[in-house]
Amino acid sequence: MTTLIDGKAVAKKVNQATQVEVAKLVEQGVQPGIVVIIVGADPASQIYVRNKNRKAERLGMHSIVRELPETTTQAELLSIIAEYNADSSIHGILVQSPLPEQINEPLVTLAIDPKKDVDGFHPTNVGKLVTNFPGKYPVANTPRGIMTMLAAYDIDPAGKTAVVIGRSTIVGKPMAALLTNANATVTLAHSRTRDLKAVARTADILVVATGIAHLITGEDIKPGATVIDVGMDRDDHGKLVGDVDFDSAQGIAGAITPVPGGVGPMTIATLMQTTVELAKWSDLGE
């Protein structure tokens, strides 16, 4: 039997805990604040931003959506980021991707105060993650949410072989670092990996984040492996599917995340969790 890893259920528990923490902070005179800056009118980005804003407001946070025109210049965007860096009511700053071609995304990432880097993408925070630096700092929300799901299902990476397919700075690289820090033996695979499917079959924990629908099928999965599908793709009929062929993985994987309802809800829940933590570390000096 394959266990279904229910991201919605785990996210609900995380959100409940976050709401309790928000209420405690508000009692102490601190309301966690997040701003999401969106440049242009990308429809998918607008949906993501709307969902984040609604969730933050439901949890009792101070939430701002700053919408900027497609023609916004690099200098204008950096100036707005500086404004929120200096705003004590804002604890988390997120600039929604993708950005228009005139914007240099690495410079935008660098411009965000590392202590307000709610996405965990600033090189300072990435460096701390990779070196397993002691202390409190934000970590990329999707990989962190995956680690929360693994813990919720008592899946301990220690001593296991983990394969992460996809080397993005958003998911793949921080995921590999978190699993390494949790004492797994990690392979970071990608489009240039030779015999990718053979590498996938070595994994006790397989994380797939490529954006290629059904790249991994049941025959590519080690029997009993835990499979985390980060993909959000559309098939030929427009149906939302993952990077893993869910149907063929059934009965082979020991545990698997569905698409939708797996990793997605955990990403937003973890974003909210991180915002509250940034408020605690900043305003309460924790």
Side-chain angles (χ1 to χ4, degrees):
M1 289 289 292
T2 299
T3 299
L4 188 71
I5 299 176
D6 189 343
K8 285 184 179 178
V10 180
K12 184 177 180 180
K13 290 181 179 179
V14 171
N15 285 328
Q16 287 171 341
T18 297
Q19 193 165 26
V20 170
E21 288 300 308
V22 171
K24 287 180 182 177
L25 284 170
V26 170
E27 284 182 2
Q28 298 174 70
V30 178
Q31 184 178 30
I34 182 171
V35 60
V36 180
I37 302 169
I38 179 170
V39 183
D42 178 73
S45 293
Q46 288 182 324
I47 292 170
Y48 293 148
V49 168
R50 194 179 310 124
N51 289 341
K52 291 168 185 172
N53 182 54
R54 286 174 180 167
K55 179 61 69 177
E57 288 181 341
R58 286 194 195 113
L59 295 176
M61 298 187 199
H62 170 46
S63 179
I64 297 173
V65 175
R66 184 74 177 263
E67 297 184 71
L68 304 175
E70 187 83 21
T71 54
T72 300
T73 67
Q74 178 85 27
E76 287 169 339
L77 179 54
L78 294 181
S79 175
I80 289 166
I81 291 170
E83 171 191 328
Y84 289 115
N85 280 340
D87 185 342
S88 61
S89 73
I90 294 297
H91 303 97
I93 300 171
L94 186 157
V95 179
Q96 183 68 41
S97 294
L99 290 166
E101 60 182 11
Q102 76 272 14
I103 304 295
N104 183 318
E105 196 153 350
L107 286 182
V108 170
T109 301
L110 278 173
I112 297 172
D113 182 342
K115 294 178 180 177
K116 296 190 176 188
D117 170 34
V118 72
D119 262 335
F121 295 162
H122 193 285
T124 295
N125 294 321
V126 174
K128 288 179 177 179
L129 170 62
V130 171
T131 58
N132 203 14
F133 196 80
K136 298 174 179 178
Y137 46 89
V139 172
N141 293 297
T142 297
R144 185 184 175 193
I146 291 169
M147 297 300 288
T148 301
M149 282 196 296
L150 293 177
Y153 281 81
D154 295 321
I155 300 167
D156 184 359
K160 292 186 172 70
T161 297
V163 174
V164 179
I165 304 178
R167 53 182 166 177
S168 72
T169 56
I170 297 172
V171 179
K173 290 177 180 177
M175 188 77 249
L178 282 168
L179 287 165
T180 299
N181 294 347
N183 299 313
T185 300
V186 183
T187 297
L188 182 58
H190 44 77
S191 60
R192 299 293 182 91
T193 299
R194 291 182 181 177
D195 203 350
L196 179 62
K197 292 178 180 290
V199 173
R201 283 192 291 273
T202 67
D204 300 311
I205 298 173
L206 178 63
V207 182
V208 191
T210 64
I212 302 172
H214 292 172
L215 173 68
I216 297 298
T217 63
E219 64 183 14
D220 309 321
I221 297 168
K222 180 180 180 179
T226 297
V227 180
I228 306 295
D229 189 351
V230 188
M232 294 285 280
D233 316 304
R234 297 281 178 182
D235 65 12
D236 295 337
H237 305 289
K239 180 185 176 184
L240 189 64
V241 297
D243 291 355
V244 178
D245 182 1
F246 185 84
D247 291 340
S248 67
Q250 288 285 346
I252 298 173
I256 189 170
T257 57
V259 176
V263 173
M266 284 303 301
T267 297
I268 293 182
T270 307
L271 173 68
M272 300 298 118
Q273 181 184 39
T274 301
T275 303
V276 172
E277 290 172 345
L278 293 177
K280 290 168 71 175
W281 300 341
S282 171
D283 287 34
L284 303 184
E286 289 192 5

